[in-house]
Amino acid sequence: MKVIVAGGGKTLYYLCRNMAAKGSEVTVINQDRAECTDLAENLTARVICGDPTEPSILADAGGRSADAVIAITPQDHKNLVICQLASMEFSVARVVALANDPDNVDLFQKMGIPAFSTTHIVSSFIEQRTFMEHAINLLPVGEGKVNVTEIPINEDYPVVGRKLKEIRLPLNGLVAVIIRDERAIIPGGEDKLQAGDKIVTISLPESYAQMLRAITNEE
Amino acid sequence: MKSRDRLIIVVGCGDLGALVSEYFSIRGYQVVTIDINRDAFANLSHDFSGFRLHGDATEKGTLVKAKVEDAYALIAATLEDSVNLMVTQIASKVYNVPVVMARVDDIGKAEIYTRFGIKTICPASVSAKLFIDEIEAESKGEDSVTQ
């Protein structure tokens, strides 16, 4: 996969090191000449020194043949423009922008650019960790975009004795399997949960906490 | 609806932003001029009777303070192209401001965004056109004299 990463700092360095190690062909765009020299020495990546919001620099970086563009500069307006240029002008299939200001995640989505906020990610991660130690994340699926989680149903959970269709799960979450007495059931809406069941849920990371809440301590 | 006709937001109070702000302020419009740098408001003459709002216009709260929901027009004229492009898109896509325009100094970027429906003004190409038109008008005038 050909990836262009615009930005700098430690985040960019480790991200590029990881992607290069996994076999991606990485091109970095950074505006600081000294940092560019360091990056070029330490990374298996092509390094372009210039303003990543300039169409000609994106073209030099191989914008036309890139599979993905990641914009993680400290300035949100630049991240927005980099991703918009990549997708509008260079038809890059996958772009993603860092929203340093968490408010910008929604704004960028409205402007057609997928964005993430490290503030959101860190807080939801902490929430997940502290929330329920006994929910086991089984495996990350789809490059971490999907959570598959096993949850043992305690007798004091509000979902005990209720049909699946009566449980208000978030839009991006579902109960995929019920494990009862060593037997796995692929449930339908009429199936009831019982204390002692284990359920396997599938959810998107942003809905995960809401999903756990719905099952463990609704209202 | 009434107030929407009269409120104009200008982002960036450099020479360009100050000129536009003064123009509409003198003509009785309600003008809010935003700049991230307090000193920039010194560019406004005494004729300006609008609001000076100190803040970062790419931050949601700042535009809300400027009453962006009520604005008829937003002009983004800072020296940073990407700030102007972001602010105008927030104004039009999130707050439905009817008229938005971005100053974009980079000609290439201005063309790309124009193609995608954002109204951009590139100071260099506007001035170049004025020079060229002037020169062409002059030379045509001479031609007709010599003929």
Side-chain angles (χ1 to χ4, degrees), chain A residues 85-137:
Chain A
L85 287 173
S87 100
M88 298 187 314
E89 187 63 8
F90 297 103
S91 310
V92 176
R94 280 198 266 180
V95 300
V96 63
L98 166 65
N100 296 280
D101 177 348
D103 285 351
N104 284 336
V105 173
D106 283 350
L107 285 183
F108 286 10
Q109 312 274 19
K110 283 184 181 144
M111 298 173 204
I113 298 301
F116 68 97
S117 150
T118 42
T119 317
H120 281 169
I121 294 170
V122 170
S123 51
S124 85
F125 180 75
I126 291 169
E127 196 178 352
Q128 285 183 22
R129 278 297 153 115
T130 49
F131 204 38
M132 250 185 82
E133 286 100 39
H134 43 286
I136 309 158
N137 274 314

Side-chain angles (χ1 to χ4, degrees), chain B residues 12-14 33-43 53-56:
Chain B
C13 192
T33 304
I34 306 174
D35 205 292
I36 199 163
N37 173 11
R38 233 181 258 282
D39 297 338
F41 296 121
N43 287 318
L53 178 59
H54 172 236
D56 180 351

Side-chain angles (χ1 to χ4, degrees), chain A residues 64-76:
Chain A
R64 240 160 263 292
S65 59
D67 299 298
V69 169
I70 304 167
I72 52 169
T73 80
Q75 287 167 307
D76 286 354

Side-chain angles (χ1 to χ4, degrees), chain A residues 178-198:
Chain A
I178 299 173
I179 299 164
R180 183 175 297 156
D181 308 327
E182 312 287 303
R183 228 161 41 84
I185 306 160
I186 307 289
E190 295 294 327
D191 283 303
K192 284 183 185 169
L193 292 181
Q194 298 173 8
D197 286 350
K198 279 182 186 165

Side-chain angles (χ1 to χ4, degrees), chain B residues 12-140:
Chain B
C13 192
D15 291 336
L16 183 54
L19 278 176
V20 176
S21 302
E22 281 164 21
Y23 180 93
F24 287 110
S25 176
I26 290 166
R27 277 156 187 81
Y29 285 85
Q30 197 189 328
V31 180
V32 179
T33 304
I34 306 174
D35 205 292
I36 199 163
N37 173 11
R38 233 181 258 282
D39 297 338
F41 296 121
N43 287 318
L44 292 165
S45 74
H46 293 299
D47 298 327
F48 177 78
S49 59
F51 293 95
R52 299 162 172 85
L53 178 59
H54 172 236
D56 180 351
T58 64
E59 234 175 82
K60 219 171 163 184
T62 310
L63 285 181
V64 172
K65 260 191 230 162
K67 298 218 163 58
V68 65
E69 312 94 49
D70 297 331
Y72 163 69
L74 179 141
I75 290 137
T78 77
L79 289 173
E80 189 125 24
D81 288 353
S82 47
V83 168
N84 298 340
L85 288 166
M86 175 165 166
V87 172
T88 45
Q89 289 182 82
I90 296 174
S92 70
K93 301 205 169 128
V94 181
Y95 295 103
N96 302 313
V97 176
V99 181
V100 300
M101 273 179 270
R103 165 196 185 158
V104 179
D105 287 321
D106 182 279
I107 297 175
K109 224 182 294 169
E111 281 171 3
I112 294 166
Y113 274 92
T114 304
R115 258 191 278 130
F116 283 90
I118 308 281
K119 176 95 181 146
T120 62
I121 304 251
C122 174
S125 44
V126 171
S127 328
K129 188 173 180 328
L130 291 175
F131 279 120
I132 293 163
D133 287 354
E134 191 73 15
I135 289 168
E136 285 188 338
E138 294 270 333
S139 63
K140 263 180 207 151

